[in-house]
Amino acid sequence: MNDRIRRMRPAATLLGLAALLIGMPVFAADVPGLPAVTATAGADGGTEYSLSIQVLLLMTALTLLPAALLAMTAFTRVIIVLGLLRQALGTGQTPTNQVLIGLALFLTFFVMTPVIDKVYTDAVQPYMAGELAFEPAVQAAARPVRGFMLAQTRDTDLMTFAKIANVGPFQSDDEVPFTVLAASFLTSELTTAFQIGFMLFIPFVIIDMVVASVLMSMGMMMLSPMLISLPFKLMLFVLVDGWSLITGTLAASFRAVSP
């Protein structure tokens, strides 16, 4: 029972954080600053309600969540590696895109759980307790995310985009502009994902070559080698416990962020 609760903790933490972020403007009514909902007396004796700029900014941020998921989390590396694995197996559309995206999302939640916990502890809790104003809370929330992105970014990629933007050298990580960091992070993630994909392709390509050579030596050139090699690739993948190996290697490929 304890193991089941421990496995569910990353997803529950993320769902709780999302709920708190969505409800932040409502709870912020007791916090000094702009109220979430403003009520004013109308000319006809009624009451008019208007939303504050915080709610507008929150609704705008929700529309940018897909872009943030790609540009600031582990999702890009995971989904590319899973897509390359499916191509290496030669199974066509099996697993389906929905299955791969679902697996990639939960792996992303697993990898990003320490960052999410730190954002909640350093930014969300103090903001809701009235200990931090809105802008300092946003800065505190951005700090762990920047640390995660910098830990996964190659120095060569960072220097390349810093040179393109004509900024730097940087004396500290806080001086790196977010635009430079985001571009460098995505480039590094693509490079790492393709490196992992290359290593995945090697054993399956060897199986394809062996099967093709055997079929040619037997004079069965009209028979598709992919049709014969697919069961062998699936058998190899199952025997080595491939899904656990791939997911574990992907999770371990992300560098830990120092507290």
Side-chain angles (χ1 to χ4, degrees), residues 23-188:
M24 185 181 297
V26 178
F27 292 109
D30 297 331
V31 181
L34 292 175
V37 180
T38 303
T40 57
D44 55 353
T47 304
E48 297 179 357
Y49 297 93
S50 62
L51 298 178
S52 69
I53 190 66
Q54 294 183 8
V55 177
L56 179 62
L57 291 176
L58 179 62
M59 294 174 63
T60 305
L62 290 177
T63 62
L64 299 177
L65 278 179
L69 183 66
L70 291 174
M72 301 169 61
T73 67
F75 182 80
T76 300
R77 182 189 305 185
V78 174
I79 193 62
I80 290 177
V81 170
L82 293 179
L84 291 176
L85 172 63
R86 184 174 65 179
Q87 292 185 8
L89 286 171
T91 55
Q93 294 299 315
T94 304
T96 61
N97 292 333
Q98 291 83 352
V99 174
L100 291 185
I101 292 175
L103 178 59
L105 283 174
F106 279 102
L107 279 177
T108 302
F109 296 159
F110 176 79
V111 172
M112 299 296 296
T113 294
V115 179
I116 295 172
D117 289 342
K118 192 166 182 60
V119 170
Y120 178 74
T121 302
D122 297 347
V124 178
Q125 276 188 336
Y127 177 80
M128 297 186 62
E131 300 173 1
L132 280 180
F134 183 73
E135 291 185 3
V138 172
Q139 295 175 0
R143 199 172 297 118
V145 179
R146 286 176 59 90
F148 172 81
M149 296 172 67
L150 284 167
Q152 320 307 322
T153 302
R154 290 178 169 81
D155 293 336
T156 54
D157 295 329
L158 188 62
M159 292 300 102
T160 298
F161 284 97
K163 183 178 180 180
I164 295 174
N166 197 21
V167 294
F170 308 113
Q171 301 299 325
S172 64
D173 295 340
D174 295 334
E175 297 181 2
V176 180
F178 178 75
T179 53
V180 174
L181 177 59
S184 307
F185 173 74
L186 281 176
T187 303
S188 298

